[in-house]
Amino acid sequence: MQPAPILEVSNVDVVYGGAIDVLRDVSLTVEEGAVVSILGANGAGKTTLLRAISGLLSYHSGAITQGTIRFNGTDTTQTDPAALVRGRMAQVMEGRRIFAELTVQENLGTGAYSRKDRGEVGASYDRVMELFPRLKERRTQVAGYMSGGEQQMLAIGRALMADPRLLLLDEPSLGLAPLIVEQIFEIVRQINGQGTSVLIVEQNASMALRNSSFGYVMETGRVIKSAPSSELLADDDVKAAYLGGESAHTSFRNLKTYRRPAEYIV
Ligand code: ATP
């Protein structure tokens, strides 16, 4: 028998402020142990989808008006975000949001706030230090003075302090140099290799697809395409619209307009 997916989003609609429809009929699955990417241009609804999954919509006056989200078999729409973290879902938000005045160590400590077992927290800390030697070197340094790449590493490290079974990453490549982006994705591969399932929202389509097994393409609040990442990488429409032809590093931000062929509207 197939194990149940770690995450199953089914036919979800999201509305902001009781009036603005942002997600429509969105469905998505993350199998246990997989890396899955969500691609799409600015405003497609990717961050909103992550908020819906992690239970943070209400902080943005948003609400799920239809559909279900099951994490590890439990309906998350009935669970508060802190319980989700205890249930081992962790999110790295867009823009990193580390505590600039706190040291690396103190930032990491905040990621373990929901955990009681000091021994297990210590094991997570050691794991983070091993994954990120740079953070180990700078563990007593104030986070606000670190580079963007180091701050992104810290944000991911902090999420790992919750020992997540599912890690949600919102645009980990944002504003980082290509070499640093490579490093970040290499670490994501290692995290996944250690058993954590990963859902990544990315505008850097090439990086996301090369580092995931399955991808979803969103446009104006809907999933317009979903396929194994290798198929999306080879897909002519995805190449033309999202991979920027020859350049592997072209991002969705460069995209002005994209009219998809009618057969892809689902
Ligand atoms: P980006 O890459 O720019 O972050 P995105 O694909 O993550 O884009 P979202 O941030 O989810 O897209 O935004 C989807 C739509 O919802 C946009 O039109 C945005 O303006 C709108 N939106 C986002 N947050 C709110 C909010 N709190 N209230 C009202 N509308 C919102």
Side-chain angles (χ1 to χ4, degrees):
M1 203 175 76
Q2 273 280 94
I6 186 81
L7 180 72
E8 200 162 25
V9 176
S10 309
N11 311 104
V12 161
D13 287 6
V14 167
V15 170
Y16 282 117
I20 311 159
D21 291 335
V22 176
L23 295 189
R24 277 178 214 196
D25 202 26
V26 170
S27 295
L28 163 156
T29 302
V30 180
E31 300 294 347
E32 178 98 59
V35 180
V36 171
S37 50
I38 305 172
L39 316 173
N42 283 130
K46 308 178 298 298
T47 296
T48 299
L49 178 54
L50 287 194
R51 284 176 186 159
I53 293 168
S54 58
L56 297 178
L57 270 179
S58 60
Y59 299 101
H60 302 269
S61 45
I64 295 171
T65 53
Q66 194 172 294
T68 58
I69 299 179
R70 299 185 81 78
F71 168 60
N72 197 21
T74 304
D75 182 356
T76 67
T77 57
Q78 306 301 322
T79 314
D80 77 278
L84 283 176
V85 175
R86 284 195 297 278
R88 298 176 57 197
M89 179 197 293
Q91 180 173 5
V92 177
M93 287 188 252
E94 188 176 350
R96 310 190 258 276
R97 317 269 175 92
I98 48 131
F99 298 106
E101 292 83 19
L102 299 186
T103 65
V104 166
Q105 259 170 349
E106 287 164 345
N107 266 281
L108 291 176
T110 65
Y113 74 94
S114 64
R115 300 174 70 191
K116 300 271 182 292
D117 187 318
R118 290 293 105 193
E120 287 178 9
V121 171
S124 293
Y125 181 79
D126 292 344
R127 176 192 183 196
V128 171
M129 291 293 115
E130 213 165 287
L131 277 167
F132 301 99
R134 193 72 74 85
L135 295 185
K136 191 174 181 180
E137 283 162 25
R138 286 163 201 236
R139 59 191 181 278
T140 56
Q141 192 174 318
V142 169
Y145 293 124
M146 299 200 306
S147 70
E150 289 164 348
Q151 291 188 9
Q152 184 60 273
M153 289 175 193
L154 179 55
I156 296 173
R158 185 176 59 187
L160 291 181
M161 290 298 291
D163 191 26
R165 282 181 67 184
L166 176 66
L167 180 64
L168 309 175
L169 294 173
D170 197 347
E171 298 215 31
S173 78
L174 192 67
L176 301 180
L179 202 63
I180 309 293
V181 173
E182 294 278 354
Q183 285 175 14
I184 298 279
F185 273 90
E186 169 55 34
I187 286 160
V188 170
R189 277 198 296 275
Q190 287 181 37
I191 292 168
N192 177 247
Q194 294 171 352
T196 307
S197 311
V198 184
L199 181 60
I200 309 181
V201 158
E202 257 301 341
Q203 296 218 13
N204 186 330
S206 168
M207 276 311 276
L209 291 176
R210 284 191 285 124
N211 288 286
S212 58
S213 55
F214 203 88
Y216 292 82
V217 181
M218 289 186 69
E219 204 180 281
T220 51
R222 291 175 183 273
V223 172
I224 59 154
K225 221 175 227 273
S226 59
S229 300
S230 54
E231 279 179 32
L232 291 178
L233 271 169
D235 182 295
D236 283 342
D237 296 310
V238 171
K239 272 201 238 175
Y242 300 126
L243 296 173
E246 296 301 302
S247 167
H249 292 293
T250 300
S251 84
F252 287 118
R253 292 203 194 285
N254 300 339
L255 203 68
K256 296 278 190 309
T257 53
Y258 166 55
R259 291 183 63 78
R260 66 185 179 277
E263 69 265 29
Y264 294 133
I265 302 172
V266 290

